[in-house]
Amino acid sequence: MVKTHQTPSQPTFANVSDSYQYQPWSITETHLDVSRLNQRETVFTIGNGYLGTRGNFEEGYGSSLPMTLIHGVYDDVPVMYTELANCPDWLSLAFLIEGERFTLDTGEILAYERTLDVRCGLLTRHITWRSPQGKELTFRFERFASLADCHQLNLRCEVTPLNFTGAIEVRASLNGYPANQGYNHWAIVDQGQRGEHVWLHTKTQQTQIDVAMAMGLRVLGLGQSATIDSLVLPGYPTWVARYQGQPHQTVTFEKQVVVFSSHEQPAPLAAALDHGTPSYEQSKLAHIHAWNNLWDQCDVLIEGDVRAQFALRYSLFQILICAPAEDEHVSIPAKTLSGTGYRGHVFWDTELFILPFLVYTQPQTARNLLTYRYHTLAGARRKAHHYGYKGAMFAWESAASGDEVTPRWAVPRDPYGQDVRIWCRDRALHITADIAYASWQYWRATGDDHWMACYGAEMILDGAQFWTSRVTHNPLADRYEICEVVGPDEYHEKVDNNAYTNRMVQWHLDKAIQLYDWLQHHDPQRAAHLDQQLGISDRQRARWQDIVDHIWIPMQGDLVEQCDGFFELQDIDLASYEPRTLSMHSILGVEQSNHYQVLKQPDVLMLMYLMRAAQEFPYGHLEQNWNYYAPRTDITYGSSLGPTIHAVLAADLGLADEAYDRFMQAVLVDLEDVRGNAAEGIHGASAGSVWQAAILGFGGVKFTDQGPVANPHLPAGWTRLKFKLQWRGNWYHFDLQPDHGTVAPAAFVPLSCATVDIRGVIFDLDGVLTDTAEFHYQAWQQLADEIGVPFNREINESLRGVSRQDSLLRILGDHQYSASELEVMMVRKNDHYTQLIEQINPAHVLPGVIRLLDQLQQAGIKLAVGSASKNARAVIQRLGIESRFDAIADGHSVTRSKPAPDLFLYAAQQLQLPPHQCIVIEDAAAGVEAAIAAGMWTVGLGPAERVGKAALVLPNLSNSHWLPQSHWPTMVDQLKQAIGN
Ligand code: BGC
């Protein structure tokens, strides 16, 4: 047998930095190392799937790069076409101590500690500082971007003078002058103050995207003796607090900011001002609760290796804070939302490196990311058309529209240096097959037929159309070829028959055929529609098959040749270039790299990895190909996408040390700045794919028709690897130890079979406890008559469970109104309604409700109301049943209305119960969906057409009784089946 190659003299990444303390859930930076300032700003990035904010100091620092990036907020820029615009800085908090400004680049740092706790998503910093004049103070900062309410940002600072009495001024601002490398994307539209908020409204220069922020400042610990004023500084709304500091007296400042952009909200300023912010503490609790729930599904526990444990959690944290859980129109940029690298453009990094973690833990978010590609189809078609091809040719670098945004040229800093043509924009074709691959894997793992029929199929089939126009037929050899491409290895820029590309095209077309046949059977109408729209016919299908059968994949025996002629290129001994800190590309030069057998990143091995993961025929022999390509791959300074792929394959091959080194190289890439460029932002592909290295590599997980199985080969020192993953609707728990052989799926218990132990019942209000629908109807009708838009009972019926604002938008349809006009209308409708509900009294409680409430109370079940109505509390009071409820979640409690699960989750949180211990009783389709999305048992009241998705459907509560849970088996089975579906 050939000796299996291990990469020589690779760094072990031990003790790279002496300024960190690693704990399983947190990292503490123990002193400020100014030479690493910008790298640490990347490392301490926080976010919530809507935006990301780098770890800048609130008080500022000379060479700092403050940055907040919001998904989808792109603006045009020369050369790079478009980039995520650095948004107004919400962190700014300045301190003047008797006229001396607190910054860490002046005075003396007496104590310093900064901690990121990824379990709770909290960033804290404790400083003791001596001013140039000798005044000493401690500062304790804490910040978080709420995961419970993604529009809400929170920052707290406790300030304690230690050795003086004197005037302290604190300025909390929104800084409307952020820049992307000196370029300011923003026009200030307006600013002002409303009540306890100062606000800032800005607009991107070219794309005209509005961003609005509203900021409040609370001062605690001073009684009445502080003065707080707003300052009108153009583009810089500010609250100023002034007080007389006393030794050892701690004063706390709580800065809370609400942000909206027109990317997700038509009137962002009104939304920001009206949003309503819970107190800092309440907000923090909700945030921690949300993280707790998320980690419950996403955590990977490693025992025996604290640094690997934290670094892995950190990587997953960085993905979770940029993964758009609520937006299907955006995707994760290569550098996440944490820096300017690659300008916020989206690459194959998302689909092949990041997505698997989400597919198996957060499938809804994975779906959003894939649906984003669906929304870019028009851009992909324009690109294909531009190059003279058919179908959809996806952008190598993608942003808002899906048009190609890879810059044409890289321009060197040296004024006499050569501009470099970036060929990926024209030739890195494999992205189209990569998207098809990712869509298929999502489908395979989730069984989401609806998504495949409505979204995935169109991408896969139109991508197939592109390939039919891009392949060429070589008549001499009677084979199909794809010439002049760039494969994953970008050191070779114009190659023929890149094995990765050709095999992925073969795979894509093969799947297109299967999908086409499936769709005709599963959804003939959709199939017919796509046939017509995309020009698919039986002839096309036959041509796809012909290409599958006759596409050329260069091989020599079991060794795959990366592209035609690769083995004839000049060979290289990478070990002879060690030690080095530069990529081989920089050492050899762009042109020369083409002539060597040196790879930027796995190419044939990437293919083998993907085919392994998909359990498809790989071509070639893994060990033989590893032995050839691994030593020729620039795994240290080539691409950060390489190490995790090598880690999985090395684990497969039993190369334990190599697998571990590659894993650590990836997992520490930003924390320890392994490649020296972490300042530009998190390496998203690396952060996402460490999950694959841990689960598929060390855990050896494979997916079978019976469910996932594990075949662990844990690195030396790891005593346990524990995680959950979701496969076809069920959760599987794995708890692996080094001596486990293959672990059969039967060893794992899907969560959906968990024992039911109901502890809480959450009641919707309208249609369940009482019927205010009639009053709502009358109030809407009055408003509609006043403004002259059509309205009737049928339209009213469609508003069940929908929030006031969303109801109004539905009623108005295409009519355009300004934010303030909308606001006035909502107030008017509410006025009508509040007048009407004054008639409500205890007689309006619906039949059966009081008896059921009594029985539930006797059984010790906690009770809550979960209603989208802002008047819910008033109505409950009038009904005379307020005292029966332990919690009321209403239209003030959360931002997103049903069908989002937030309201019920909030109610469960108030009851201090996990979702699966709660039953929701609902009469609206949106409410039933919300309850299911919240992971709760659901009882639907009303016709099955409306609430049929509920586990149990009843006409109303008039005959319902609460039975002791021992009497439940039948009902539980019913509930289980319904939830399982
Ligand atoms: C890699 C690509 C990757 C891109 C963005 C490049 O250096 O070669 O594969 O997609 O970086 O991360």
Side-chain angles (χ1 to χ4, degrees), residues 334-335 342 347-349 353 396 430 488 490 600-601 638-641 675 685:
K335 298 283 182 185
Y342 291 120
F347 294 69
W348 70 320
D349 303 32
F353 294 81
W396 174 245
H430 62 86
E490 296 175 4
K600 182 177 183 186
Q601 64 208 89
S639 164
S640 64
L641 278 60
R675 301 164 52 84

mmCIF file with all atom_site columns, all heavy atoms in Angstrom, residues 334-335 342 347-349 353 396 430 488 490 600-601 638-641 675 685, ligand 1:
data_model
loop_
_atom_site.group_PDB
_atom_site.id
_atom_site.type_symbol
_atom_site.label_atom_id
_atom_site.label_alt_id
_atom_site.label_comp_id
_atom_site.label_asym_id
_atom_site.label_entity_id
_atom_site.label_seq_id
_atom_site.pdbx_PDB_ins_code
_atom_site.Cartn_x
_atom_site.Cartn_y
_atom_site.Cartn_z
_atom_site.occupancy
_atom_site.B_iso_or_equiv
_atom_site.pdbx_formal_charge
_atom_site.auth_seq_id
_atom_site.auth_comp_id
_atom_site.auth_asym_id
_atom_site.auth_atom_id
_atom_site.pdbx_PDB_model_num
ATOM   1   N N   . ALA A 1 334 ? -18.846 36.340 2.216   1.00 0.00 ? 334 ALA A N   1
ATOM   2   C CA  . ALA A 1 334 ? -17.647 35.545 2.528   1.00 0.00 ? 334 ALA A CA  1
ATOM   3   C C   . ALA A 1 334 ? -17.033 35.953 3.865   1.00 0.00 ? 334 ALA A C   1
ATOM   4   O O   . ALA A 1 334 ? -16.508 35.121 4.586   1.00 0.00 ? 334 ALA A O   1
ATOM   5   C CB  . ALA A 1 334 ? -16.634 35.687 1.405   1.00 0.00 ? 334 ALA A CB  1
ATOM   6   N N   . LYS A 1 335 ? -17.093 37.242 4.194   1.00 0.00 ? 335 LYS A N   1
ATOM   7   C CA  . LYS A 1 335 ? -16.543 37.694 5.483   1.00 0.00 ? 335 LYS A CA  1
ATOM   8   C C   . LYS A 1 335 ? -17.669 38.001 6.465   1.00 0.00 ? 335 LYS A C   1
ATOM   9   O O   . LYS A 1 335 ? -17.561 38.913 7.297   1.00 0.00 ? 335 LYS A O   1
ATOM   10  C CB  . LYS A 1 335 ? -15.680 38.935 5.282   1.00 0.00 ? 335 LYS A CB  1
ATOM   11  C CG  . LYS A 1 335 ? -14.470 38.712 4.396   1.00 0.00 ? 335 LYS A CG  1
ATOM   12  C CD  . LYS A 1 335 ? -13.367 37.984 5.123   1.00 0.00 ? 335 LYS A CD  1
ATOM   13  C CE  . LYS A 1 335 ? -12.158 37.830 4.221   1.00 0.00 ? 335 LYS A CE  1
ATOM   14  N NZ  . LYS A 1 335 ? -11.114 37.022 4.842   1.00 0.00 ? 335 LYS A NZ  1
ATOM   15  N N   . TYR A 1 342 ? -13.883 41.341 0.743   1.00 0.00 ? 342 TYR A N   1
ATOM   16  C CA  . TYR A 1 342 ? -14.785 40.902 -0.333  1.00 0.00 ? 342 TYR A CA  1
ATOM   17  C C   . TYR A 1 342 ? -16.083 41.717 -0.402  1.00 0.00 ? 342 TYR A C   1
ATOM   18  O O   . TYR A 1 342 ? -17.065 41.308 -1.010  1.00 0.00 ? 342 TYR A O   1
ATOM   19  C CB  . TYR A 1 342 ? -15.119 39.417 -0.225  1.00 0.00 ? 342 TYR A CB  1
ATOM   20  C CG  . TYR A 1 342 ? -13.950 38.518 -0.526  1.00 0.00 ? 342 TYR A CG  1
ATOM   21  C CD1 . TYR A 1 342 ? -13.470 37.617 0.415   1.00 0.00 ? 342 TYR A CD1 1
ATOM   22  C CD2 . TYR A 1 342 ? -13.315 38.555 -1.762  1.00 0.00 ? 342 TYR A CD2 1
ATOM   23  C CE1 . TYR A 1 342 ? -12.392 36.793 0.145   1.00 0.00 ? 342 TYR A CE1 1
ATOM   24  C CE2 . TYR A 1 342 ? -12.242 37.730 -2.041  1.00 0.00 ? 342 TYR A CE2 1
ATOM   25  C CZ  . TYR A 1 342 ? -11.783 36.851 -1.087  1.00 0.00 ? 342 TYR A CZ  1
ATOM   26  O OH  . TYR A 1 342 ? -10.721 36.040 -1.359  1.00 0.00 ? 342 TYR A OH  1
ATOM   27  N N   . PHE A 1 347 ? -20.290 34.170 -2.070  1.00 0.00 ? 347 PHE A N   1
ATOM   28  C CA  . PHE A 1 347 ? -19.602 33.197 -2.923  1.00 0.00 ? 347 PHE A CA  1
ATOM   29  C C   . PHE A 1 347 ? -20.174 31.790 -2.717  1.00 0.00 ? 347 PHE A C   1
ATOM   30  O O   . PHE A 1 347 ? -21.047 31.599 -1.881  1.00 0.00 ? 347 PHE A O   1
ATOM   31  C CB  . PHE A 1 347 ? -18.118 33.136 -2.550  1.00 0.00 ? 347 PHE A CB  1
ATOM   32  C CG  . PHE A 1 347 ? -17.304 34.375 -2.826  1.00 0.00 ? 347 PHE A CG  1
ATOM   33  C CD1 . PHE A 1 347 ? -17.502 35.542 -2.106  1.00 0.00 ? 347 PHE A CD1 1
ATOM   34  C CD2 . PHE A 1 347 ? -16.300 34.363 -3.786  1.00 0.00 ? 347 PHE A CD2 1
ATOM   35  C CE1 . PHE A 1 347 ? -16.723 36.670 -2.340  1.00 0.00 ? 347 PHE A CE1 1
ATOM   36  C CE2 . PHE A 1 347 ? -15.511 35.488 -4.025  1.00 0.00 ? 347 PHE A CE2 1
ATOM   37  C CZ  . PHE A 1 347 ? -15.729 36.640 -3.301  1.00 0.00 ? 347 PHE A CZ  1
ATOM   38  N N   . TRP A 1 348 ? -19.539 30.815 -3.365  1.00 0.00 ? 348 TRP A N   1
ATOM   39  C CA  . TRP A 1 348 ? -19.907 29.407 -3.121  1.00 0.00 ? 348 TRP A CA  1
ATOM   40  C C   . TRP A 1 348 ? -19.617 29.021 -1.669  1.00 0.00 ? 348 TRP A C   1
ATOM   41  O O   . TRP A 1 348 ? -20.097 27.999 -1.193  1.00 0.00 ? 348 TRP A O   1
ATOM   42  C CB  . TRP A 1 348 ? -19.169 28.469 -4.087  1.00 0.00 ? 348 TRP A CB  1
ATOM   43  C CG  . TRP A 1 348 ? -17.671 28.326 -3.863  1.00 0.00 ? 348 TRP A CG  1
ATOM   44  C CD1 . TRP A 1 348 ? -16.801 29.327 -3.530  1.00 0.00 ? 348 TRP A CD1 1
ATOM   45  C CD2 . TRP A 1 348 ? -16.891 27.130 -3.942  1.00 0.00 ? 348 TRP A CD2 1
ATOM   46  N NE1 . TRP A 1 348 ? -15.524 28.836 -3.421  1.00 0.00 ? 348 TRP A NE1 1
ATOM   47  C CE2 . TRP A 1 348 ? -15.537 27.490 -3.678  1.00 0.00 ? 348 TRP A CE2 1
ATOM   48  C CE3 . TRP A 1 348 ? -17.174 25.800 -4.242  1.00 0.00 ? 348 TRP A CE3 1
ATOM   49  C CZ2 . TRP A 1 348 ? -14.502 26.558 -3.676  1.00 0.00 ? 348 TRP A CZ2 1
ATOM   50  C CZ3 . TRP A 1 348 ? -16.126 24.877 -4.257  1.00 0.00 ? 348 TRP A CZ3 1
ATOM   51  C CH2 . TRP A 1 348 ? -14.815 25.262 -3.975  1.00 0.00 ? 348 TRP A CH2 1
ATOM   52  N N   . ASP A 1 349 ? -18.878 29.849 -0.969  1.00 0.00 ? 349 ASP A N   1
ATOM   53  C CA  . ASP A 1 349 ? -18.578 29.618 0.446   1.00 0.00 ? 349 ASP A CA  1
ATOM   54  C C   . ASP A 1 349 ? -19.866 29.279 1.207   1.00 0.00 ? 349 ASP A C   1
ATOM   55  O O   . ASP A 1 349 ? -19.885 28.422 2.083   1.00 0.00 ? 349 ASP A O   1
ATOM   56  C CB  . ASP A 1 349 ? -17.979 30.879 1.088   1.00 0.00 ? 349 ASP A CB  1
ATOM   57  C CG  . ASP A 1 349 ? -16.730 31.374 0.381   1.00 0.00 ? 349 ASP A CG  1
ATOM   58  O OD1 . ASP A 1 349 ? -16.633 31.204 -0.840  1.00 0.00 ? 349 ASP A OD1 1
ATOM   59  O OD2 . ASP A 1 349 ? -15.853 31.958 1.054   1.00 0.00 ? 349 ASP A OD2 1
ATOM   60  N N   . PHE A 1 353 ? -19.832 25.433 2.148   1.00 0.00 ? 353 PHE A N   1
ATOM   61  C CA  . PHE A 1 353 ? -19.034 25.410 3.373   1.00 0.00 ? 353 PHE A CA  1
ATOM   62  C C   . PHE A 1 353 ? -19.870 25.758 4.611   1.00 0.00 ? 353 PHE A C   1
ATOM   63  O O   . PHE A 1 353 ? -19.658 25.211 5.670   1.00 0.00 ? 353 PHE A O   1
ATOM   64  C CB  . PHE A 1 353 ? -17.848 26.365 3.228   1.00 0.00 ? 353 PHE A CB  1
ATOM   65  C CG  . PHE A 1 353 ? -16.870 25.896 2.171   1.00 0.00 ? 353 PHE A CG  1
ATOM   66  C CD1 . PHE A 1 353 ? -17.106 26.146 0.828   1.00 0.00 ? 353 PHE A CD1 1
ATOM   67  C CD2 . PHE A 1 353 ? -15.743 25.175 2.517   1.00 0.00 ? 353 PHE A CD2 1
ATOM   68  C CE1 . PHE A 1 353 ? -16.234 25.686 -0.149  1.00 0.00 ? 353 PHE A CE1 1
ATOM   69  C CE2 . PHE A 1 353 ? -14.858 24.714 1.549   1.00 0.00 ? 353 PHE A CE2 1
ATOM   70  C CZ  . PHE A 1 353 ? -15.105 24.973 0.208   1.00 0.00 ? 353 PHE A CZ  1
ATOM   71  N N   . TRP A 1 396 ? -20.432 34.485 -9.792  1.00 0.00 ? 396 TRP A N   1
ATOM   72  C CA  . TRP A 1 396 ? -19.365 33.999 -8.907  1.00 0.00 ? 396 TRP A CA  1
ATOM   73  C C   . TRP A 1 396 ? -19.384 34.819 -7.606  1.00 0.00 ? 396 TRP A C   1
ATOM   74  O O   . TRP A 1 396 ? -19.332 34.284 -6.532  1.00 0.00 ? 396 TRP A O   1
ATOM   75  C CB  . TRP A 1 396 ? -18.009 34.085 -9.608  1.00 0.00 ? 396 TRP A CB  1
ATOM   76  C CG  . TRP A 1 396 ? -16.881 33.730 -8.691  1.00 0.00 ? 396 TRP A CG  1
ATOM   77  C CD1 . TRP A 1 396 ? -15.882 34.535 -8.266  1.00 0.00 ? 396 TRP A CD1 1
ATOM   78  C CD2 . TRP A 1 396 ? -16.672 32.458 -8.044  1.00 0.00 ? 396 TRP A CD2 1
ATOM   79  N NE1 . TRP A 1 396 ? -15.059 33.863 -7.390  1.00 0.00 ? 396 TRP A NE1 1
ATOM   80  C CE2 . TRP A 1 396 ? -15.527 32.575 -7.243  1.00 0.00 ? 396 TRP A CE2 1
ATOM   81  C CE3 . TRP A 1 396 ? -17.358 31.229 -8.062  1.00 0.00 ? 396 TRP A CE3 1
ATOM   82  C CZ2 . TRP A 1 396 ? -15.030 31.525 -6.472  1.00 0.00 ? 396 TRP A CZ2 1
ATOM   83  C CZ3 . TRP A 1 396 ? -16.863 30.171 -7.284  1.00 0.00 ? 396 TRP A CZ3 1
ATOM   84  C CH2 . TRP A 1 396 ? -15.718 30.339 -6.510  1.00 0.00 ? 396 TRP A CH2 1
ATOM   85  N N   . HIS A 1 430 ? -18.289 26.730 -11.880 1.00 0.00 ? 430 HIS A N   1
ATOM   86  C CA  . HIS A 1 430 ? -18.795 25.653 -11.025 1.00 0.00 ? 430 HIS A CA  1
ATOM   87  C C   . HIS A 1 430 ? -19.839 26.129 -10.020 1.00 0.00 ? 430 HIS A C   1
ATOM   88  O O   . HIS A 1 430 ? -20.611 25.339 -9.494  1.00 0.00 ? 430 HIS A O   1
ATOM   89  C CB  . HIS A 1 430 ? -17.641 24.922 -10.333 1.00 0.00 ? 430 HIS A CB  1
ATOM   90  C CG  . HIS A 1 430 ? -16.807 25.752 -9.401  1.00 0.00 ? 430 HIS A CG  1
ATOM   91  N ND1 . HIS A 1 430 ? -17.137 25.955 -8.091  1.00 0.00 ? 430 HIS A ND1 1
ATOM   92  C CD2 . HIS A 1 430 ? -15.632 26.422 -9.592  1.00 0.00 ? 430 HIS A CD2 1
ATOM   93  C CE1 . HIS A 1 430 ? -16.203 26.701 -7.506  1.00 0.00 ? 430 HIS A CE1 1
ATOM   94  N NE2 . HIS A 1 430 ? -15.269 27.010 -8.393  1.00 0.00 ? 430 HIS A NE2 1
ATOM   95  N N   . PRO A 1 488 ? -12.018 25.099 -8.558  1.00 0.00 ? 488 PRO A N   1
ATOM   96  C CA  . PRO A 1 488 ? -11.812 25.598 -7.186  1.00 0.00 ? 488 PRO A CA  1
ATOM   97  C C   . PRO A 1 488 ? -10.386 26.098 -6.968  1.00 0.00 ? 488 PRO A C   1
ATOM   98  O O   . PRO A 1 488 ? -10.180 27.081 -6.261  1.00 0.00 ? 488 PRO A O   1
ATOM   99  C CB  . PRO A 1 488 ? -12.096 24.362 -6.335  1.00 0.00 ? 488 PRO A CB  1
ATOM   100 C CG  . PRO A 1 488 ? -13.053 23.562 -7.149  1.00 0.00 ? 488 PRO A CG  1
ATOM   101 C CD  . PRO A 1 488 ? -12.629 23.759 -8.569  1.00 0.00 ? 488 PRO A CD  1
ATOM   102 N N   . GLU A 1 490 ? -7.787  28.260 -7.773  1.00 0.00 ? 490 GLU A N   1
ATOM   103 C CA  . GLU A 1 490 ? -7.714  29.485 -8.581  1.00 0.00 ? 490 GLU A CA  1
ATOM   104 C C   . GLU A 1 490 ? -6.297  29.844 -9.004  1.00 0.00 ? 490 GLU A C   1
ATOM   105 O O   . GLU A 1 490 ? -6.098  30.878 -9.649  1.00 0.00 ? 490 GLU A O   1
ATOM   106 C CB  . GLU A 1 490 ? -8.348  30.644 -7.799  1.00 0.00 ? 490 GLU A CB  1
ATOM   107 C CG  . GLU A 1 490 ? -9.831  30.424 -7.558  1.00 0.00 ? 490 GLU A CG  1
ATOM   108 C CD  . GLU A 1 490 ? -10.443 31.505 -6.681  1.00 0.00 ? 490 GLU A CD  1
ATOM   109 O OE1 . GLU A 1 490 ? -9.747  32.458 -6.313  1.00 0.00 ? 490 GLU A OE1 1
ATOM   110 O OE2 . GLU A 1 490 ? -11.641 31.370 -6.363  1.00 0.00 ? 490 GLU A OE2 1
ATOM   111 N N   . LYS A 1 600 ? -4.106  26.151 -4.940  1.00 0.00 ? 600 LYS A N   1
ATOM   112 C CA  . LYS A 1 600 ? -4.502  27.096 -3.907  1.00 0.00 ? 600 LYS A CA  1
ATOM   113 C C   . LYS A 1 600 ? -5.335  26.399 -2.825  1.00 0.00 ? 600 LYS A C   1
ATOM   114 O O   . LYS A 1 600 ? -5.287  26.742 -1.656  1.00 0.00 ? 600 LYS A O   1
ATOM   115 C CB  . LYS A 1 600 ? -5.328  28.214 -4.547  1.00 0.00 ? 600 LYS A CB  1
ATOM   116 C CG  . LYS A 1 600 ? -5.768  29.281 -3.570  1.00 0.00 ? 600 LYS A CG  1
ATOM   117 C CD  . LYS A 1 600 ? -6.521  30.389 -4.280  1.00 0.00 ? 600 LYS A CD  1
ATOM   118 C CE  . LYS A 1 600 ? -6.898  31.508 -3.320  1.00 0.00 ? 600 LYS A CE  1
ATOM   119 N NZ  . LYS A 1 600 ? -7.741  32.509 -3.952  1.00 0.00 ? 600 LYS A NZ  1
ATOM   120 N N   . GLN A 1 601 ? -6.148  25.448 -3.242  1.00 0.00 ? 601 GLN A N   1
ATOM   121 C CA  . GLN A 1 601 ? -7.074  24.788 -2.310  1.00 0.00 ? 601 GLN A CA  1
ATOM   122 C C   . GLN A 1 601 ? -7.505  23.471 -2.940  1.00 0.00 ? 601 GLN A C   1
ATOM   123 O O   . GLN A 1 601 ? -7.310  23.259 -4.140  1.00 0.00 ? 601 GLN A O   1
ATOM   124 C CB  . GLN A 1 601 ? -8.283  25.678 -2.048  1.00 0.00 ? 601 GLN A CB  1
ATOM   125 C CG  . GLN A 1 601 ? -9.145  25.960 -3.253  1.00 0.00 ? 601 GLN A CG  1
ATOM   126 C CD  . GLN A 1 601 ? -9.870  27.291 -3.134  1.00 0.00 ? 601 GLN A CD  1
ATOM   127 O OE1 . GLN A 1 601 ? -9.356  28.317 -3.541  1.00 0.00 ? 601 GLN A OE1 1
ATOM   128 N NE2 . GLN A 1 601 ? -11.067 27.259 -2.569  1.00 0.00 ? 601 GLN A NE2 1
ATOM   129 N N   . GLY A 1 638 ? -2.811  29.314 1.084   1.00 0.00 ? 638 GLY A N   1
ATOM   130 C CA  . GLY A 1 638 ? -3.626  29.360 -0.140  1.00 0.00 ? 638 GLY A CA  1
ATOM   131 C C   . GLY A 1 638 ? -4.991  29.921 0.218   1.00 0.00 ? 638 GLY A C   1
ATOM   132 O O   . GLY A 1 638 ? -5.121  31.092 0.543   1.00 0.00 ? 638 GLY A O   1
ATOM   133 N N   . SER A 1 639 ? -5.997  29.069 0.210   1.00 0.00 ? 639 SER A N   1
ATOM   134 C CA  . SER A 1 639 ? -7.333  29.552 0.567   1.00 0.00 ? 639 SER A CA  1
ATOM   135 C C   . SER A 1 639 ? -7.722  29.021 1.942   1.00 0.00 ? 639 SER A C   1
ATOM   136 O O   . SER A 1 639 ? -7.439  27.863 2.274   1.00 0.00 ? 639 SER A O   1
ATOM   137 C CB  . SER A 1 639 ? -8.348  29.074 -0.467  1.00 0.00 ? 639 SER A CB  1
ATOM   138 O OG  . SER A 1 639 ? -9.643  29.219 0.051   1.00 0.00 ? 639 SER A OG  1
ATOM   139 N N   . SER A 1 640 ? -8.437  29.848 2.698   1.00 0.00 ? 640 SER A N   1
ATOM   140 C CA  . SER A 1 640 ? -8.917  29.403 4.021   1.00 0.00 ? 640 SER A CA  1
ATOM   141 C C   . SER A 1 640 ? -10.005 28.338 3.869   1.00 0.00 ? 640 SER A C   1
ATOM   142 O O   . SER A 1 640 ? -10.467 27.772 4.857   1.00 0.00 ? 640 SER A O   1
ATOM   143 C CB  . SER A 1 640 ? -9.472  30.593 4.799   1.00 0.00 ? 640 SER A CB  1
ATOM   144 O OG  . SER A 1 640 ? -10.598 31.099 4.125   1.00 0.00 ? 640 SER A OG  1
ATOM   145 N N   . LEU A 1 641 ? -10.450 28.079 2.634   1.00 0.00 ? 641 LEU A N   1
ATOM   146 C CA  . LEU A 1 641 ? -11.484 27.066 2.430   1.00 0.00 ? 641 LEU A CA  1
ATOM   147 C C   . LEU A 1 641 ? -10.910 25.650 2.454   1.00 0.00 ? 641 LEU A C   1
ATOM   148 O O   . LEU A 1 641 ? -11.650 24.675 2.498   1.00 0.00 ? 641 LEU A O   1
ATOM   149 C CB  . LEU A 1 641 ? -12.216 27.290 1.095   1.00 0.00 ? 641 LEU A CB  1
ATOM   150 C CG  . LEU A 1 641 ? -13.330 28.336 1.074   1.00 0.00 ? 641 LEU A CG  1
ATOM   151 C CD1 . LEU A 1 641 ? -12.829 29.715 1.449   1.00 0.00 ? 641 LEU A CD1 1
ATOM   152 C CD2 . LEU A 1 641 ? -14.020 28.392 -0.283  1.00 0.00 ? 641 LEU A CD2 1
ATOM   153 N N   . ARG A 1 675 ? -3.788  33.273 9.494   1.00 0.00 ? 675 ARG A N   1
ATOM   154 C CA  . ARG A 1 675 ? -3.332  33.655 8.155   1.00 0.00 ? 675 ARG A CA  1
ATOM   155 C C   . ARG A 1 675 ? -2.927  35.124 8.070   1.00 0.00 ? 675 ARG A C   1
ATOM   156 O O   . ARG A 1 675 ? -2.562  35.619 7.007   1.00 0.00 ? 675 ARG A O   1
ATOM   157 C CB  . ARG A 1 675 ? -4.442  33.379 7.134   1.00 0.00 ? 675 ARG A CB  1
ATOM   158 C CG  . ARG A 1 675 ? -4.866  31.938 7.080   1.00 0.00 ? 675 ARG A CG  1
ATOM   159 C CD  . ARG A 1 675 ? -6.196  31.779 6.372   1.00 0.00 ? 675 ARG A CD  1
ATOM   160 N NE  . ARG A 1 675 ? -6.179  32.426 5.080   1.00 0.00 ? 675 ARG A NE  1
ATOM   161 C CZ  . ARG A 1 675 ? -5.717  31.873 3.971   1.00 0.00 ? 675 ARG A CZ  1
ATOM   162 N NH1 . ARG A 1 675 ? -5.284  30.628 4.000   1.00 0.00 ? 675 ARG A NH1 1
ATOM   163 N NH2 . ARG A 1 675 ? -5.711  32.524 2.838   1.00 0.00 ? 675 ARG A NH2 1
ATOM   164 N N   . ALA A 1 685 ? -16.438 30.826 5.447   1.00 0.00 ? 685 ALA A N   1
ATOM   165 C CA  . ALA A 1 685 ? -16.450 29.446 4.966   1.00 0.00 ? 685 ALA A CA  1
ATOM   166 C C   . ALA A 1 685 ? -15.741 28.540 5.964   1.00 0.00 ? 685 ALA A C   1
ATOM   167 O O   . ALA A 1 685 ? -16.176 27.417 6.248   1.00 0.00 ? 685 ALA A O   1
ATOM   168 C CB  . ALA A 1 685 ? -15.776 29.363 3.602   1.00 0.00 ? 685 ALA A CB  1
HETATM 169 C C1  . BGC B 2 .   ? -11.065 31.337 -2.681  1.00 0.00 ? 1   BGC B C1  1
HETATM 170 C C2  . BGC B 2 .   ? -12.467 31.076 -3.147  1.00 0.00 ? 1   BGC B C2  1
HETATM 171 C C3  . BGC B 2 .   ? -13.434 31.701 -2.160  1.00 0.00 ? 1   BGC B C3  1
HETATM 172 C C4  . BGC B 2 .   ? -13.139 33.173 -1.991  1.00 0.00 ? 1   BGC B C4  1
HETATM 173 C C5  . BGC B 2 .   ? -14.011 33.827 -0.938  1.00 0.00 ? 1   BGC B C5  1
HETATM 174 C C6  . BGC B 2 .   ? -10.885 32.841 -2.542  1.00 0.00 ? 1   BGC B C6  1
HETATM 175 O O1  . BGC B 2 .   ? -9.611  33.109 -2.070  1.00 0.00 ? 1   BGC B O1  1
HETATM 176 O O2  . BGC B 2 .   ? -10.138 30.832 -3.610  1.00 0.00 ? 1   BGC B O2  1
HETATM 177 O O3  . BGC B 2 .   ? -12.696 29.689 -3.237  1.00 0.00 ? 1   BGC B O3  1
HETATM 178 O O4  . BGC B 2 .   ? -14.718 31.530 -2.619  1.00 0.00 ? 1   BGC B O4  1
HETATM 179 O O5  . BGC B 2 .   ? -11.800 33.328 -1.596  1.00 0.00 ? 1   BGC B O5  1
HETATM 180 O O6  . BGC B 2 .   ? -13.792 33.259 0.304   1.00 0.00 ? 1   BGC B O6  1
#
